[in-house]
Coordinates of all heavy atoms in Angstrom, one line a residue:
Chain A
D58 N 2.2 -8.5 25.1 CA 2.6 -9.9 25.4 C 3.2 -9.9 26.8 O 4.2 -9.2 27.0 CB 3.7 -10.3 24.3 CG 4.1 -11.7 24.5 OD1 3.7 -12.4 25.5 OD2 4.9 -12.2 23.6
L59 N 2.6 -10.7 27.6 CA 3.1 -10.7 29.0 C 4.2 -11.8 29.3 O 4.5 -12.1 30.4 CB 1.9 -11.0 29.9 CG 0.8 -9.8 29.9 CD1 -0.4 -10.2 30.8 CD2 1.4 -8.5 30.4
G60 N 4.7 -12.3 28.2 CA 5.8 -13.2 28.4 C 7.1 -12.5 28.0 O 7.1 -11.3 27.8
P61 N 8.2 -13.2 27.9 CA 9.5 -12.6 27.5 C 9.4 -12.2 26.1 O 8.6 -12.7 25.3 CB 10.5 -13.7 27.8 CG 9.8 -15.0 27.7 CD 8.4 -14.7 28.2
V62 N 10.3 -11.4 25.6 CA 10.2 -10.9 24.2 C 10.9 -12.0 23.3 O 12.0 -12.5 23.6 CB 10.9 -9.5 24.1 CG1 12.3 -9.5 24.5 CG2 10.8 -9.1 22.6
W63 N 10.2 -12.3 22.3 CA 10.7 -13.3 21.3 C 10.7 -12.6 19.9 O 9.7 -12.0 19.6 CB 9.8 -14.5 21.2 CG 9.7 -15.3 22.5 CD1 8.7 -15.2 23.4 CD2 10.7 -16.2 23.0 NE1 9.0 -16.1 24.5 CE2 10.2 -16.7 24.2 CE3 11.9 -16.7 22.6 CZ2 10.8 -17.6 25.0 CZ3 12.5 -17.7 23.3 CH2 12.0 -18.1 24.5
Q64 N 11.7 -12.8 19.2 CA 11.8 -12.2 17.8 C 10.6 -12.7 17.0 O 9.9 -11.9 16.3 CB 13.0 -12.7 17.1 CG 13.1 -12.2 15.7 CD 13.4 -10.7 15.6 OE1 14.5 -10.2 15.9 NE2 12.4 -9.9 15.3
S65 N 10.3 -14.0 17.1 CA 9.2 -14.5 16.2 C 7.8 -13.9 16.5 O 7.0 -13.6 15.6 CB 9.1 -16.0 16.2 OG 8.9 -16.4 17.5
T66 N 7.6 -13.7 17.8 CA 6.3 -13.1 18.2 C 6.2 -11.7 17.8 O 5.2 -11.2 17.2 CB 6.1 -13.3 19.7 OG1 6.2 -14.6 20.1 CG2 4.7 -12.7 20.2
V67 N 7.3 -10.9 18.0 CA 7.3 -9.5 17.7 C 7.1 -9.4 16.2 O 6.3 -8.6 15.7 CB 8.6 -8.8 18.2 CG1 8.6 -7.4 17.6 CG2 8.6 -8.8 19.7
S68 N 7.9 -10.1 15.4 CA 7.8 -10.0 14.0 C 6.5 -10.4 13.4 O 5.9 -9.8 12.5 CB 8.9 -11.0 13.3 OG 10.2 -10.6 13.7
F69 N 5.9 -11.4 14.0 CA 4.6 -11.9 13.6 C 3.6 -10.8 13.6 O 2.8 -10.5 12.7 CB 4.1 -13.1 14.4 CG 2.8 -13.6 14.1 CD1 2.6 -14.5 13.0 CD2 1.7 -13.2 14.8 CE1 1.3 -14.9 12.7 CE2 0.4 -13.6 14.5 CZ 0.2 -14.5 13.4
F70 N 3.5 -10.1 14.8 CA 2.5 -9.0 14.9 C 2.9 -7.8 14.2 O 2.1 -7.1 13.6 CB 2.3 -8.7 16.4 CG 1.5 -9.8 17.1 CD1 2.0 -10.8 17.9 CD2 0.1 -9.9 16.9 CE1 1.3 -11.8 18.5 CE2 -0.7 -10.9 17.5 CZ -0.1 -11.8 18.3
V71 N 4.2 -7.4 14.2 CA 4.6 -6.2 13.5 C 4.3 -6.4 12.0 O 3.9 -5.4 11.3 CB 6.1 -5.9 13.8 CG1 6.6 -4.9 12.8 CG2 6.3 -5.5 15.2
D72 N 4.6 -7.5 11.5 CA 4.3 -7.8 10.0 C 2.8 -7.6 9.7 O 2.5 -7.4 8.6 CB 4.8 -9.1 9.6 CG 6.3 -9.2 9.6 OD1 7.0 -8.1 9.5 OD2 6.9 -10.3 9.5
K73 N 2.0 -7.9 10.7 CA 0.6 -7.7 10.5 C 0.1 -6.3 10.7 O -1.1 -6.0 10.7 CB -0.2 -8.7 11.3 CG -0.1 -10.1 10.9 CD -0.9 -11.0 11.8 CE -0.8 -12.5 11.3 NZ -1.3 -12.7 9.9
G74 N 1.0 -5.4 11.1 CA 0.7 -4.0 11.3 C 0.4 -3.6 12.7 O 0.0 -2.5 12.9
Y75 N 0.6 -4.6 13.6 CA 0.3 -4.2 15.0 C 1.5 -3.6 15.7 O 2.7 -3.9 15.2 CB -0.1 -5.5 15.8 CG -1.4 -6.0 15.3 CD1 -1.5 -7.1 14.5 CD2 -2.6 -5.4 15.7 CE1 -2.7 -7.7 14.0 CE2 -3.9 -6.0 15.3 CZ -3.9 -7.1 14.4 OH -5.1 -7.6 14.0
R76 N 1.3 -2.9 16.7 CA 2.4 -2.5 17.6 C 2.4 -3.5 18.8 O 1.4 -3.9 19.3 CB 2.2 -1.1 18.1 CG 2.4 -0.1 17.0 CD 2.0 1.3 17.4 NE 2.6 1.8 18.6 CZ 2.3 2.9 19.2 NH1 1.3 3.6 18.8 NH2 3.0 3.2 20.3
V77 N 3.6 -3.8 19.2 CA 3.7 -4.9 20.2 C 4.4 -4.3 21.5 O 5.4 -3.6 21.3 CB 4.5 -6.1 19.7 CG1 4.6 -7.1 20.8 CG2 3.9 -6.6 18.5
S78 N 3.9 -4.5 22.6 CA 4.6 -4.2 23.8 C 4.8 -5.5 24.6 O 3.9 -6.4 24.6 CB 3.8 -3.3 24.7 OG 3.6 -2.0 24.1
T79 N 5.9 -5.7 25.2 CA 6.2 -6.9 25.9 C 6.6 -6.6 27.3 O 7.5 -5.7 27.5 CB 7.4 -7.6 25.2 OG1 7.1 -7.9 23.8 CG2 7.7 -9.0 25.9
E80 N 6.0 -7.3 28.2 CA 6.4 -7.1 29.6 C 6.4 -8.5 30.3 O 5.3 -9.1 30.4 CB 5.4 -6.1 30.4 CG 5.8 -5.9 31.8 CD 5.1 -4.8 32.5 OE1 4.4 -4.0 31.7 OE2 5.1 -4.6 33.7
D81 N 7.5 -8.9 30.7 CA 7.6 -10.3 31.2 C 7.1 -10.2 32.7 O 7.9 -10.0 33.6 CB 9.1 -10.8 31.2 CG 9.2 -12.2 31.6 OD1 8.2 -12.8 32.1 OD2 10.3 -12.8 31.4
L82 N 5.8 -10.4 32.8 CA 5.2 -10.1 34.1 C 5.6 -11.0 35.2 O 5.9 -10.6 36.3 CB 3.7 -10.2 33.9 CG 2.8 -9.5 35.0 CD1 3.1 -8.0 35.0 CD2 1.4 -9.8 34.8
L83 N 5.8 -12.3 34.9 CA 6.2 -13.3 35.9 C 7.6 -13.0 36.4 O 7.9 -13.1 37.6 CB 6.1 -14.7 35.3 CG 6.0 -15.8 36.3 CD1 4.9 -15.6 37.4 CD2 5.8 -17.2 35.6
R84 N 8.5 -12.7 35.5 CA 9.8 -12.4 35.8 C 9.9 -11.1 36.7 O 10.6 -11.0 37.7 CB 10.7 -12.2 34.5 CG 12.0 -11.5 34.7 CD 13.0 -12.3 35.5 NE 13.4 -13.5 34.7 CZ 14.1 -14.4 35.3 NH1 14.6 -14.3 36.5 NH2 14.4 -15.5 34.6
T85 N 9.1 -10.1 36.3 CA 9.1 -8.9 37.1 C 8.5 -9.1 38.5 O 9.0 -8.6 39.5 CB 8.2 -7.9 36.4 OG1 8.5 -7.9 35.0 CG2 8.4 -6.5 36.9
W86 N 7.6 -10.0 38.5 CA 7.0 -10.3 39.8 C 8.0 -11.0 40.7 O 8.1 -10.7 41.9 CB 5.7 -11.2 39.6 CG 5.1 -11.9 40.8 CD1 5.1 -13.2 41.1 CD2 4.4 -11.2 41.9 NE1 4.4 -13.4 42.3 CE2 4.0 -12.2 42.8 CE3 4.1 -9.9 42.2 CZ2 3.3 -11.9 44.0 CZ3 3.4 -9.6 43.3 CH2 3.0 -10.6 44.2
K87 N 8.7 -12.0 40.1 CA 9.7 -12.7 40.9 C 10.8 -11.8 41.4 O 11.3 -11.8 42.5 CB 10.3 -13.9 40.2 CG 9.3 -14.9 39.7 CD 8.4 -15.4 40.9 CE 9.1 -16.3 41.9 NZ 8.2 -16.8 42.9
D88 N 11.2 -10.9 40.5 CA 12.2 -9.9 40.9 C 11.7 -9.0 42.1 O 12.4 -8.7 43.0 CB 12.6 -9.0 39.7 CG 13.5 -9.8 38.7 OD1 13.9 -10.9 39.0 OD2 13.6 -9.3 37.6
F89 N 10.5 -8.6 41.9 CA 9.8 -7.8 43.0 C 9.8 -8.5 44.3 O 10.2 -8.0 45.3 CB 8.4 -7.4 42.5 CG 7.6 -6.8 43.6 CD1 7.7 -5.5 44.0 CD2 6.6 -7.6 44.2 CE1 6.9 -5.0 45.0 CE2 5.8 -7.1 45.2 CZ 6.0 -5.8 45.6
L90 N 9.4 -9.8 44.2 CA 9.3 -10.6 45.5 C 10.7 -10.8 46.1 O 10.8 -10.7 47.4 CB 8.7 -12.0 45.2 CG 7.2 -12.0 44.9 CD1 6.8 -13.5 44.7 CD2 6.4 -11.4 46.0
S91 N 11.7 -11.0 45.3 CA 13.1 -11.1 45.8 C 13.5 -9.8 46.5 O 14.1 -9.9 47.6 CB 14.1 -11.4 44.7 OG 13.7 -12.6 44.1
A92 N 13.2 -8.7 45.9 CA 13.6 -7.4 46.5 C 12.8 -7.2 47.8 O 13.4 -6.7 48.8 CB 13.3 -6.3 45.5
E93 N 11.5 -7.6 47.8 CA 10.7 -7.4 49.0 C 11.3 -8.3 50.2 O 11.3 -7.9 51.3 CB 9.3 -7.8 48.7 CG 8.5 -6.8 48.0 CD 8.3 -5.5 48.8 OE1 7.8 -5.6 50.0 OE2 8.7 -4.4 48.3
E94 N 11.6 -9.5 49.8 CA 12.2 -10.5 50.8 C 13.4 -10.0 51.4 O 13.6 -10.1 52.6 CB 12.4 -11.8 50.1 CG 12.5 -13.0 51.0 CD 12.7 -14.3 50.3 OE1 12.0 -14.5 49.2 OE2 13.4 -15.2 50.8
E95 N 14.3 -9.4 50.5 CA 15.5 -8.8 51.0 C 15.2 -7.7 52.0 O 15.8 -7.6 53.1 CB 16.3 -8.3 49.9 CG 17.6 -9.1 49.5 CD 18.3 -8.6 48.3 OE1 18.7 -7.4 48.3 OE2 18.5 -9.4 47.4
G96 N 14.3 -6.9 51.6 CA 13.9 -5.8 52.5 C 13.3 -6.2 53.8 O 13.6 -5.7 54.9
F97 N 12.6 -7.3 53.7 CA 11.9 -7.9 54.9 C 13.0 -8.4 55.9 O 12.9 -8.3 57.1 CB 10.9 -8.9 54.5 CG 10.2 -9.5 55.6 CD1 9.2 -8.8 56.3 CD2 10.4 -10.8 56.1 CE1 8.5 -9.3 57.3 CE2 9.7 -11.3 57.1 CZ 8.7 -10.6 57.7
R98 N 14.0 -9.1 55.3 CA 15.0 -9.7 56.1 C 15.8 -8.6 56.8 O 16.3 -8.8 57.9 CB 16.0 -10.5 55.3 CG 15.4 -11.9 55.0 CD 16.4 -12.7 54.1 NE 15.8 -14.0 53.7 CZ 16.2 -14.7 52.7 NH1 17.1 -14.2 52.0 NH2 15.6 -15.8 52.4
A99 N 16.0 -7.5 56.1 CA 16.8 -6.4 56.7 C 16.0 -5.6 57.7 O 16.6 -4.9 58.5 CB 17.2 -5.5 55.5
S100 N 14.7 -5.7 57.7 CA 13.9 -4.9 58.6 C 13.9 -5.5 60.0 O 14.1 -6.7 60.2 CB 12.4 -4.8 58.1 OG 11.8 -6.1 58.1
P101 N 13.7 -4.7 61.0 CA 13.7 -5.2 62.4 C 12.5 -6.1 62.7 O 11.5 -6.0 62.1 CB 13.6 -3.9 63.2 CG 13.0 -2.9 62.3 CD 13.5 -3.2 60.9
V102 N 12.8 -7.1 63.6 CA 11.7 -8.0 63.9 C 10.5 -7.2 64.5 O 10.7 -6.3 65.3 CB 12.3 -9.0 65.0 CG1 11.1 -10.0 65.4 CG2 13.4 -9.8 64.4
G103 N 9.3 -7.7 64.2 CA 8.1 -7.0 64.7 C 7.7 -5.8 63.9 O 6.9 -5.0 64.3
G104 N 8.3 -5.6 62.7 CA 8.0 -4.5 61.9 C 6.6 -4.7 61.2 O 5.8 -5.5 61.7
D105 N 6.4 -3.9 60.2 CA 5.1 -4.0 59.5 C 4.8 -5.3 58.9 O 5.4 -5.7 57.9 CB 5.1 -2.9 58.5 CG 3.7 -2.7 57.8 OD1 2.8 -3.4 58.3 OD2 3.6 -1.9 56.9
S106 N 3.9 -6.1 59.5 CA 3.7 -7.5 59.1 C 2.8 -7.5 57.9 O 2.6 -8.5 57.2 CB 3.1 -8.3 60.2 OG 1.9 -7.7 60.6
Q107 N 2.2 -6.4 57.6 CA 1.2 -6.3 56.4 C 2.0 -6.6 55.1 O 1.4 -7.0 54.2 CB 0.6 -4.9 56.4 CG -0.8 -4.9 57.0 CD -1.6 -3.7 56.4 OE1 -1.0 -2.7 56.1 NE2 -2.9 -3.9 56.4
R108 N 3.2 -6.3 55.1 CA 3.9 -6.4 53.8 C 4.0 -7.9 53.3 O 4.3 -8.1 52.1 CB 5.3 -5.9 54.0 CG 6.2 -6.6 55.0 CD 7.4 -5.9 55.3 NE 8.2 -5.5 54.1 CZ 9.2 -4.7 54.1 NH1 9.6 -4.1 55.3 NH2 9.9 -4.4 53.0
I109 N 3.7 -8.8 54.2 CA 3.7 -10.2 53.7 C 2.4 -10.7 53.1 O 2.3 -11.8 52.6 CB 4.2 -11.2 54.7 CG1 3.4 -11.1 56.0 CG2 5.7 -10.9 55.1 CD1 3.6 -12.2 57.0
S110 N 1.4 -9.9 53.3 CA 0.1 -10.2 52.7 C 0.2 -10.2 51.2 O 0.6 -9.2 50.6 CB -1.0 -9.3 53.2 OG -2.1 -9.3 52.3
P111 N -0.3 -11.3 50.5 CA -0.2 -11.3 49.0 C -0.9 -10.1 48.4 O -0.4 -9.6 47.4 CB -0.8 -12.6 48.7 CG -0.7 -13.5 49.9 CD -0.7 -12.6 51.0
S112 N -2.1 -9.8 48.9 CA -2.8 -8.7 48.3 C -2.1 -7.4 48.4 O -2.1 -6.6 47.5 CB -4.2 -8.7 48.9 OG -4.2 -8.6 50.3
V113 N -1.5 -7.2 49.6 CA -0.7 -5.9 49.8 C 0.5 -5.9 48.8 O 0.8 -4.9 48.2 CB -0.3 -5.8 51.3 CG1 0.7 -4.6 51.4 CG2 -1.5 -5.6 52.2
L114 N 1.1 -7.1 48.7 CA 2.2 -7.2 47.8 C 1.8 -6.9 46.4 O 2.5 -6.2 45.6 CB 2.8 -8.6 47.9 CG 3.8 -8.9 49.0 CD1 4.1 -10.4 49.0 CD2 5.0 -8.1 49.0
A115 N 0.6 -7.4 46.0 CA 0.2 -7.2 44.7 C -0.1 -5.7 44.4 O 0.3 -5.2 43.3 CB -1.1 -8.0 44.5
D116 N -0.7 -5.1 45.4 CA -0.9 -3.6 45.2 C 0.4 -2.9 45.0 O 0.5 -2.0 44.2 CB -1.7 -3.1 46.4 CG -3.2 -3.6 46.4 OD1 -3.6 -4.1 45.3 OD2 -3.8 -3.6 47.4
K117 N 1.3 -3.3 45.8 CA 2.6 -2.6 45.7 C 3.3 -2.9 44.4 O 3.9 -2.0 43.8 CB 3.5 -3.1 46.9 CG 4.8 -2.2 47.1 CD 5.5 -2.6 48.4 CE 6.8 -1.8 48.5 NZ 7.6 -2.2 49.6

Side-chain angles (χ1 to χ4, degrees):
Chain A
D58 183 353
L59 295 175
V62 58
W63 301 98
Q64 177 73 73
S65 61
T66 303
V67 173
S68 296
F69 177 82
F70 285 102
V71 168
D72 287 344
K73 288 182 179 300
Y75 295 101
R76 289 169 58 189
V77 183
S78 294
T79 303
E80 182 168 349
D81 189 349
L82 199 63
L83 198 53
R84 163 69 65 188
T85 316
W86 170 248
K87 298 312 287 187
D88 289 347
F89 167 79
L90 287 183
S91 300
E93 282 295 307
E94 196 176 324
E95 252 177 54
F97 184 69
R98 281 181 186 157
S100 67
V102 179
D105 187 3
S106 60
Q107 263 202 328
R108 62 193 307 170
I109 56 170
S110 156
S112 51
V113 171
L114 280 174
D116 290 341
K117 193 172 177 186

